[in-house]
Amino acid sequence: MEATAAHPASLVISLPLEYTAFCLRHQELYHRYSRVRLRHEAASRSAVAAALGDLALNWDGALRSACLPAVAWRLLRARVQAAARASDPRPPDTLHRAWPPDQADALILRYRLSLTTDQSAQLMGVDPAVIATHLRTALRDLPR
């Protein structure tokens, strides 16, 4: 179809099948995580969409990275943190006020989203032993 003033040419964007599969596999857990952090459905959906958009823009680099899920998790966490700061400069959830980000995220995934250590590790792109260490350290540091 030729572009005319009455019928402008439409833009067609084709995303790699692997990217689409990655998004379909991870987006629901990303939404659940961001809802816990942001406590607002629209902000949560926007943060996840922005993070997945960032991933699409850097898909080739993410594929070449040592761990694709780790790249995607960093993008998600950055977007969620930015959304949280936009509404309140303090982290909205008490876990991110009390613990470093990786520990707080491990706690959210394990105890608020009921993921296993292996599922949490896969989502964050780290070894399960890292998640186990984060959980042990955080629980050890709980106020008595």
Side-chain angles (χ1 to χ4, degrees), residues 19 30 46-56 72 75-77 79-80:
Y19 168 80
Y30 286 1
S46 179
V48 171
L52 293 176
D54 294 341
L55 182 61
L75 293 170
L76 175 67
R77 184 166 42 197
R79 286 296 187 159
V80 170

Side-chain angles (χ1 to χ4, degrees), residues 29-57:
L29 287 174
Y30 286 1
H31 281 122
R32 289 177 56 203
Y33 165 80
S34 67
R35 276 193 302 267
V36 168
R37 294 279 320 270
L38 299 173
R39 298 186 183 141
H40 188 270
E41 183 65 27
S44 171
R45 292 216 174 268
S46 179
V48 171
L52 293 176
D54 294 341
L55 182 61
L57 292 173

Side-chain angles (χ1 to χ4, degrees), residues 39-119:
R39 298 186 183 141
H40 188 270
E41 183 65 27
S44 171
R45 292 216 174 268
S46 179
V48 171
L52 293 176
D54 294 341
L55 182 61
L57 292 173
N58 189 38
W59 183 246
D60 289 336
L63 284 176
R64 288 190 304 272
S65 72
C67 184
L68 172 61
V71 171
W73 187 258
R74 284 191 300 271
L75 293 170
L76 175 67
R77 184 166 42 197
R79 286 296 187 159
V80 170
Q81 287 172 338
R85 279 193 303 272
S87 64
D88 186 345
R90 296 176 311 131
D93 63 279
T94 56
L95 292 175
H96 280 83
R97 281 186 232 149
W99 283 280
D102 288 338
Q103 285 181 342
D105 287 347
L107 288 165
I108 287 172
L109 295 176
R110 178 66 187 100
Y111 296 110
R112 291 199 180 161
L113 301 185
S114 300
L115 300 182
T116 66
T117 299
D118 287 343
Q119 290 169 324

